[in-house]
Amino acid sequence: MRCLYDGGLRHKCGVFGIYNHNEPARLTYLGLYALQHRGQESAGMVTSNGRRLHLAKGMGQVADVFDPMILSRLKGKSAIGHDRYSTAGESGLINCQPLLIDSYWGQIALAHNGNLVNALSLRSELVRQGSAFITTSDTEVILHLIVRSSRKSFHDALVEALLKIRGAFSLLLMTVDEMIAIRDPYGFRPLVLGKLRNSRVIASETCALDLIGAKFIREIQPGEILIINKDGLQSIFPFPEREHAQCIFELIYFARPDSVIFGESVNLYRNCLGRRLARESHVDADIVVPVPDSGVSAALGYASESKIPFDFGLIRNHYVGRTFIEPKQAIRDLGVKVKLNPVRGLIRGKKVVLVDDSIVRATTSRKIVAMIRRAGAKEVHMRISSPPIISPCFYGIDTPTKEELIASSHSVNEIRQFIRADSLNYLSLEGILSCVKNGEKRFCTACFTEKYPIDFPYERFPQLQLFEKQK
Ligand code: AMP
């Protein structure tokens, strides 16, 4: 889900659903809790009791939005839910998902992970035809396309709508008697199927299945529509075949390390990146320190390959939330200090290899290098377990505009100077692909290569115009 008018891409969401269970709301609460890393701005859930859909949603994290009273009102046998990453603000609550409408086909609830690249043009067309929109999100376009279809059955109307949208979409849809999971033909975002006794479960990542004790069955295939109802499971594949373009950044940074997505253990993949990084850019050093939490798995791989001892030289405060109040008088680098603090005894006098998964704007990395130096490090060698990010993502990862991505306009040496490290090395593109089978054929690497699997309409998006000007 992406907000069409906010001028920025801000979309990293999680979806979860369960069909045929006595406590669907409570299990969906847990599922969304396990997927909290995919979005912390708002959460929502819709349950079905077979006759009506019930909705609850709100701004904040899962535990802020739902309490036992709200969950007990969400009655039924099935539920779908959504964790959303977006900005707060006036339109915040209205854009919360799942979206719920009443239509010719009855009530329909929809939760979306991904970005549509043709949402704005579809929306203008729909508005010209008389559609009135309530949200500013791209997801609502899908609902309008479904209800405006003249097809004779709901499933046909759904397929017709889905054939019109382009971009990244892992969707969970619910009517009073069905739950439907959909993955776009490129497979940008993950989506998995699980089983808990007689219940079927759908989730963005397997870590959500683990929490509720569900068994992982398989991934929803790119291009698959999986319909789950009282007759069982039925798959249809209506989309033209596409070369798969699963998001490699999900594996590098975004997904939880205990998940298995795209057939890969996220933790093992990151460990492999770290090993490869150590082979590609070894440096003589005393200690390998991860930037927690995103750099931990790669740093462990780096340490075991390089035989340099690993330790937690930076400690993260896990309780930093939006309620944090900064003192009026500015304290230097407070932002990063709130989150990270060095263990001076480990760092003092040492040559430190600092490992992180990526550099985006480089502002955090610069502060962390300074922090390690102030803690007494003799040398700081930054190692990044992915290639330089040179291009924004239009398919659902929250990256800034091209202009703000430091590697789009600076060489590695210039970035090294900016972050004031003694050395800086990124992992190569071959490196990130070498840790998966058939990497070139299965993954989208557009943020590192500018090779976008789907074109997008430059003229429609302000940030894309900027992108084009710089090309
Ligand atoms: P910076 O040094 O300011 O570029 O920040 C780098 C840090 O941002 C790394 O620790 C990354 O794990 C993290 N990061 C990478 N991609 C994203 C993203 N899409 N949203 C938030 N943080 C990110």
Side-chain angles (χ1 to χ4, degrees), residues 117-425:
V117 298
N118 65 340
L120 217 51
S121 54
L122 287 173
R123 186 178 170 118
S124 324
E125 217 174 291
L126 286 160
V127 168
R128 265 202 308 278
Q129 290 162 12
S131 281
F133 281 77
I134 292 174
T135 76
T136 52
S137 86
D138 56 346
T139 311
E140 193 180 353
V141 166
I142 306 171
L143 290 171
H144 283 272
L145 291 172
I146 297 171
V147 301
R148 281 189 166 266
S149 167
S150 53
R151 294 302 184 95
K152 295 281 180 296
S153 78
F154 173 64
H155 292 159
D156 287 347
L158 173 64
V159 168
E160 188 178 77
L162 294 173
L163 288 172
K164 289 188 179 153
I165 58 174
R166 296 196 317 127
F169 49 93
S170 278
L171 299 168
L172 251 183
L173 184 147
M174 198 166 71
T175 60
V176 288
D177 47 15
E178 286 184 337
M179 180 166 86
I180 302 179
I182 301 148
R183 197 159 163 223
D184 68 69
Y186 299 86
F188 284 104
R189 302 283 141 232
L191 199 62
V192 298
L193 168 68
K195 192 169 185 236
L196 179 67
R197 290 180 288 280
N198 295 324
S199 315
R200 303 295 170 154
V201 186
I202 301 285
S204 292
E205 294 179 33
T206 57
C207 63
L209 305 183
D210 295 337
L211 179 57
I212 63 160
K215 189 168 168 273
F216 169 69
I217 303 293
R218 64 174 177 86
E219 309 221 0
I220 306 301
Q221 298 300 305
E224 177 175 4
I225 300 179
L226 177 69
I227 301 163
I228 305 172
N229 57 28
K230 64 174 177 14
D231 301 324
L233 276 67
Q234 188 206 345
S235 288
I236 43 178
F237 292 85
F239 302 97
E241 191 121 332
R242 303 279 182 213
E243 186 140 303
H244 294 172
Q246 302 176 108
C247 171
I248 199 131
F249 208 66
E250 288 267 358
L251 286 171
I252 290 168
Y253 165 75
F254 193 35
R256 243 171 69 161
D258 50 335
S259 286
V260 177
I261 56 163
F262 310 145
E264 311 288 337
S265 153
V266 176
N267 191 29
L268 293 182
Y269 176 73
R270 290 179 191 168
N271 193 289
C272 175
L273 297 182
R275 287 169 186 275
R276 171 90 190 203
L277 185 59
R279 289 200 293 278
E280 285 188 12
S281 55
H282 182 75
V283 59
D284 177 33
D286 305 311
I287 184 170
V288 174
V289 171
V291 175
D293 295 322
S294 55
V296 173
S297 309
L300 280 163
Y302 192 101
S304 68
E305 184 74 18
S306 63
K307 311 277 186 294
I308 301 170
F310 169 99
D311 216 323
F312 286 102
L314 279 169
I315 301 300
R316 177 169 169 190
N317 180 340
H318 285 98
Y319 306 98
V320 180
R322 282 172 302 126
T323 46
F324 175 77
I325 298 161
E326 290 198 36
K328 287 215 175 94
Q329 201 183 342
I331 297 177
R332 202 154 65 100
D333 295 339
L334 187 64
V336 91
K337 275 200 224 156
V338 171
K339 217 168 161 186
L340 298 172
N341 198 31
V343 181
R344 288 174 184 76
L346 277 176
I347 287 170
R348 199 175 300 123
K350 303 264 177 65
K351 294 186 211 164
V352 177
V353 181
L354 195 58
V355 180
D356 204 353
D357 68 285
S358 57
I359 292 181
V360 184
R361 294 182 172 88
T363 46
T364 315
S365 312
R366 181 179 158 109
K367 287 177 185 159
I368 295 171
V369 171
M371 183 181 265
I372 298 283
R373 282 207 194 282
R374 278 201 297 276
K378 205 154 71 180
E379 290 171 17
V380 186
H381 301 277
M382 190 86 187
R383 293 293 178 271
I384 303 295
S385 63
S386 65
I389 300 180
I390 56 167
S391 240
C393 177
F394 301 108
Y395 313 125
I397 291 284
D398 179 45
T399 46
T401 58
K402 189 170 171 69
E403 194 180 42
E404 293 166 283
L405 293 167
I406 191 162
S408 73
S409 53
H410 293 77
S411 67
V412 174
N413 192 40
E414 285 166 343
I415 302 170
R416 181 195 67 74
Q417 284 169 357
F418 177 74
I419 65 172
R420 302 196 182 110
D422 293 289
S423 72
L424 166 67
N425 280 98

